[in-house]
Amino acid sequence: MSKQFLLLALMICVSSSYGQDHLLQNVYNRTTISLNGDWKYIVDPYENGYYNYRYEPFDQQPTPWASAFFLNSKPKDASDLLEYDFDKMDNLKVPGDWNTQKESLYYYEGTVWYKQSFDFDFSAEGNRLFVYFEAANYQAEVYLNGSKLGTHTGGFTPFNFEVTDIVKAQDNFLIVKIDNKRLKDGVPTLNTDWWNYGGITRDVKLVETAATFVADYFIQLDPQDTKKIKGYVQVNSKDTGAQKLQLKLPGLGIDQQLTSDQDGYAAVDLSVEDIRYWSLDDPFLYDVAIETAQETVKDQIGFRSIRTEGTQIMLNDQPVYLKGISIHEESPLRDGRGYSKEDATQLLEWAKELGCNYVRLAHYPHNEHMVRLADQMGILVWEENPVYWTISWDNESTYQNAETQLSELIARDKNRASVIIWSMANETPNVPARNVFLNKLAAYARAKDNTRLISAALEQKNYQGDPTIRTIDDPFAEVVDILSFNQYIGWYDGLPEKCKTITWKIEEDKPVLISEFGAGAKQGLHGSKEERWTEEFQENLYVETLQMIDKIDKIQGFSPWILVDFRSPRRVLPEIQDGWNRKGLISEEGEKKKAFFILQAFYNNK
Ligand code: GCU
């Protein structure tokens, strides 16, 4: 990524998420103070704590009334009128969604206010402090000690604000307004096939840095030359002028001094003979340390090349077949939105048990544990921006929102070897405004990261009107590096035996992935393979589909829908769905269905 592009990204980032600072890199490995735990909360469906009765936002008024919740006001005396008190309220756990914590909030979509109090002492003179949110769904307004820090839009990516000049030694109050209302012009938009979990759904941390600190870096193998490590380090410093840095990769005998330019940008360009490349069989991660005069940041980075060659996907210049599964970010260990390392470990261990070397994280960025563990476990990853079904293609702020969420995803995971594909969208209509929208997003992603492949989950259709021949007829197929599509022959389209009657005509000279196929089954429900919702029906769908897939040339892998049953408000069939999409190979109780073993056998023989 060129320096000009980095500065442009910085400007775009600041413009669309008010007040938000450049995303801190690798907070995952920094020493931080957790603000997780019990937070006080107020449910505010009328946003009475945010707007005055003229529906004007309090936080945009020169002297907001004490009734503004972000002020955390207390009655001055016994006669004072105040109609809220955070400290007398109940608690919600952070991280976590509110839907599965409080029965009364199970279907709730709207505003909930959170408050956390903390004391803080700087560990050194001149140090700086940031508050870092790993994610909060959907719109977050953040305040500290009565000052507005900023706003963040999008439920699945991190954001941070500097609070160096606002924080006090004692009794700091951090107040966050979370609104998960679905919006027509939102990303995603009004309808999805997953539960709209609301809340501060991932960790919240205080990040103390030195005055001059490592704000960002991108250190990856040069896609043009696999004997080169290229990228940059971005320092953030109050001092202007060039900064001296040390980049250390002891495993490669590298101890390189870098000098940044006036803006703190230092290019990285290292020729390295013997690199132990990160691979599925040997997911080797190098220790990396970046030192400024005042601090050291440590990371573990794997170096691998990923590219396409005709219809093949080449990992370290070797063809790779992607034996995958799609996953939603729900906890397999407790109810609700997943966020913990244990959640990620269970999901990825099930994928490994299935025989997978690849996972599609759908339809939005999952928590960072997933990609950090995939790096360690040697699992390849597809990550996706929540541009899902039919969003407002011709709305510029919707585009900016989608681009910002994508930029935050790439910013967070650009140093992860396991991540090989950025997906721009899922099942979007082939209309002109969408094509413009997705083309811009893909161009943005390529400019931001030239080391990975671009794709999207497209839709298949009849070839020249012949329903027995299927194809991809979508202009965006020209833009992607990997051609991926969802198909539900045998579930939404006929019965499983129909797979025998279908052939595929895919004209692009590109690798082809099937990003989704599947069938619903209630775990433990048994019967004939003709009976929908039985495990036998789902099993048969897999048998038929795998035979069909094996005949599609250019196919380089697939990720069936889906590893585990997941919550969806669209799935209301009594005694079968009851609010769950049942296409999982594993039930929400963790019980495997028959189809799990069909796919496992296929992968183990592949
Ligand atoms: C779609 C969609 C998924 C959905 C699935 C289904 O293809 O991409 O989000 O859950 O089909 O219908 O089960």
Side-chain angles (χ1 to χ4, degrees):
M1 178 198 296
S2 66
K3 176 183 166 203
Q4 288 65 31
F5 187 83
L6 183 69
L7 290 174
L8 173 68
L10 182 59
M11 285 183 304
I12 289 170
C13 183
V14 173
S15 67
S16 52
S17 291
Y18 152 53
Q20 185 195 334
D21 290 314
H22 190 73
L23 192 61
L24 296 175
Q25 180 61 217
N26 186 25
V27 168
Y28 198 86
N29 281 322
R30 274 184 176 275
T31 309
T32 57
I33 295 168
S34 172
L35 290 180
N36 291 351
D38 289 335
W39 289 51
K40 294 296 179 190
Y41 76 100
I42 301 175
V43 181
D44 186 12
Y46 284 41
E47 300 182 283
N48 184 51
Y50 185 73
Y51 295 106
N52 66 17
Y53 78 117
R54 289 274 176 259
Y55 220 67
E56 299 153 337
F58 285 124
D59 63 16
Q60 278 151 45
Q61 300 187 323
T63 51
W65 299 348
S67 44
F69 286 7
F70 76 88
L71 295 173
N72 189 29
S73 310
K74 298 293 175 189
K76 286 194 290 305
D77 54 43
S79 64
D80 196 10
L81 169 62
L82 209 59
E83 297 178 285
Y84 74 95
D85 184 339
F86 272 108
D87 297 320
K88 291 205 175 102
M89 300 306 285
D90 188 6
N91 294 318
L92 275 173
K93 287 242 175 295
V94 167
D97 60 272
W98 60 59
N99 312 74
T100 56
Q101 289 190 58
K102 307 289 176 188
E103 198 155 335
S104 59
L105 297 177
Y106 185 63
Y107 287 105
Y108 182 69
E109 295 182 299
T111 284
V112 171
W113 292 82
Y114 286 77
K115 184 197 72 106
Q116 180 63 283
S117 301
F118 64 92
D119 300 340
F120 178 78
D121 283 326
F122 283 99
S123 54
E125 185 69 28
N127 274 7
R128 298 162 68 180
L129 187 68
F130 296 80
V131 59
Y132 183 91
F133 293 81
E134 288 192 5
N137 192 48
Y138 171 74
Q139 175 104 359
E141 316 283 341
V142 185
Y143 309 84
L144 182 65
N145 300 339
S147 299
K148 178 111 187 218
L149 301 181
T151 301
H152 182 263
T153 303
F156 306 101
T157 46
F159 53 100
N160 47 246
F161 303 102
E162 178 158 14
V163 293
T164 308
D165 306 330
I166 304 171
V167 72
K168 303 177 296 179
Q170 288 183 321
D171 302 329
N172 294 284
F173 53 92
L174 180 62
I175 292 187
V176 187
K177 172 187 185 291
I178 302 288
D179 184 356
N180 76 330
K181 268 198 299 295
R182 285 168 291 119
L183 304 169
K184 171 115 188 43
D185 299 334
V187 179
T189 183
L190 294 169
N191 59 338
T192 69
D193 190 28
W194 69 81
W195 204 270
N196 181 29
Y197 292 111
I200 302 178
T201 48
R202 295 181 191 154
D203 293 6
V204 184
K205 301 169 176 176
L206 291 175
V207 185
E208 182 179 2
T209 72
T212 297
F213 69 92
V214 178
D216 193 9
Y217 54 87
F218 187 19
I219 299 173
Q220 286 283 287
L221 210 57
D222 177 357
Q224 270 69 45
D225 176 351
T226 55
K227 295 269 182 224
K228 265 193 177 234
I229 291 175
K230 284 187 96 169
Y232 68 86
V233 176
Q234 176 68 47
V235 170
N236 182 322
S237 177
K238 297 278 182 199
D239 317 341
T240 52
Q243 304 288 332
K244 290 259 175 283
L245 303 165
Q246 208 65 23
L247 173 60
K248 298 184 174 176
L249 290 95
L252 287 167
I254 291 171
D255 188 346
Q256 176 88 24
Q257 186 177 65
L258 303 172
T259 306
S260 80
D261 62 16
Q262 303 306 316
D263 305 315
Y265 181 91
V268 171
D269 191 337
L270 307 164
S271 296
V272 187
E273 262 320 302
D274 285 330
I275 299 177
R276 182 175 164 189
Y277 294 108
W278 181 95
S279 69
L280 297 172
D281 306 328
D282 180 24
F284 186 75
L285 300 172
Y286 281 95
D287 288 326
V288 177
I290 305 169
E291 299 174 358
T292 69
Q294 299 165 339
E295 68 161 26
T296 298
V297 165
K298 294 191 171 152
D299 205 347
Q300 303 76 37
I301 299 179
F303 299 108
R304 55 94 188 97
S305 69
I306 188 76
R307 59 184 176 82
T308 64
E309 192 175 292
T311 63
Q312 295 199 304
I313 301 171
M314 309 298 277
L315 174 65
N316 299 328
D317 300 323
Q318 296 301 315
V320 63
Y321 190 94
L322 302 184
K323 302 191 275 187
I325 191 75
S326 294
I327 302 178
H328 254 305
E329 188 191 41
E330 280 195 344
S331 169
L333 307 173
R334 86 203 109 69
D335 226 344
R337 181 62 77 208
Y339 58 75
S340 70
K341 193 167 186 178
E342 297 69 31
D343 292 333
T345 304
Q346 179 62 80
L347 292 169
L348 294 177
E349 282 179 352
W350 275 337
K352 276 270 185 183
E353 191 186 339
L354 197 49
C356 294
N357 61 11
Y358 161 68
V359 291
R360 174 186 178 212
L361 304 184
H363 293 292
Y364 39 77
H366 289 209
N367 62 77
E368 193 171 346
H369 296 299
M370 288 297 272
V371 291
R372 291 280 180 172
L373 283 168
D375 262 15
Q376 291 158 18
M377 294 167 77
I379 297 176
L380 297 167
V381 176
W382 157 306
E383 291 204 277
E384 189 159 292
N385 203 27
V387 173
Y388 181 91
W389 288 346
T390 310
I391 68 172
S392 304
W393 307 113
D394 41 27
N395 178 318
E396 182 50 28
S397 73
T398 300
Y399 175 78
Q400 277 312 329
N401 178 353
E403 189 183 277
T404 300
Q405 292 190 46
L406 181 61
S407 75
E408 291 164 354
L409 166 61
I410 297 175
R412 187 194 75 181
D413 294 347
K414 59 182 180 281
N415 290 304
R416 305 281 74 78
S418 57
V419 179
I420 57 166
I421 301 170
W422 302 123
S423 167
M424 300 301 109
N426 180 74
E427 292 185 351
T428 49
N430 173 5
V431 293
R434 169 261 197 185
N435 300 336
V436 172
F437 191 111
L438 292 191
N439 290 354
K440 272 170 60 179
L441 267 185
Y444 178 84
R446 283 192 208 292
K448 195 144 173 132
D449 173 16
N450 65 351
T451 69
R452 290 181 176 83
L453 305 171
I454 301 291
S455 192
L458 304 179
E459 295 180 299
Q460 48 88 32
K461 55 188 293 186
N462 299 348
Y463 182 75
Q464 295 175 351
D466 179 342
T468 67
I469 309 175
R470 300 299 170 86
T471 188
I472 306 301
D473 175 11
D474 186 326
F476 198 56
E478 298 312 311
V479 176
V480 295
D481 300 308
I482 294 185
L483 190 54
S484 311
F485 60 90
N486 299 349
Q487 66 84 25
Y488 280 92
I489 296 164
W491 182 255
Y492 294 123
D493 175 0
L495 292 170
E497 286 65 31
K498 185 170 183 175
C499 291
K500 289 192 181 67
T501 68
I502 302 289
T503 57
W504 294 81
K505 198 168 177 47
I506 298 172
E507 277 142 356
E508 287 76 10
D509 180 35
K510 292 179 179 185
V512 173
L513 291 179
I514 295 185
S515 29
E516 284 181 38
F517 73 81
K522 171 81 173 154
Q523 191 277 327
L525 182 63
H526 295 286
S528 73
K529 63 181 175 57
E530 284 72 34
E531 283 175 73
R532 265 185 204 265
W533 305 112
T534 61
E535 290 194 35
E536 287 72 19
F537 185 105
Q538 186 189 46
E539 178 185 38
N540 183 39
L541 183 272
Y542 271 73
V543 170
E544 294 288 347
T545 305
L546 294 172
Q547 282 166 9
M548 175 184 70
I549 286 177
D550 240 5
K551 284 182 274 164
I552 306 174
D553 63 3
K554 302 179 185 174
I555 199 102
Q556 297 305 330
F558 50 89
S559 51
W561 195 256
I562 184 164
L563 182 63
V564 187
D565 290 355
F566 61 96
R567 269 205 170 82
S568 168
R570 301 175 71 249
R571 309 296 172 171
V572 294
L573 183 62
E575 293 149 19
I576 299 281
Q577 295 177 317
D578 297 317
W580 295 86
N581 183 313
R582 294 289 181 202
K583 294 192 179 69
L585 295 175
I586 302 173
S587 74
E588 77 278 15
E589 309 294 338
E591 292 141 30
K592 297 183 178 72
K593 304 175 190 178
K594 283 184 163 184
F596 179 99
F597 304 102
I598 297 294
L599 185 60
Q600 184 186 52
F602 181 90
Y603 281 158
N604 290 343
N605 299 330
K606 190 81 193 165

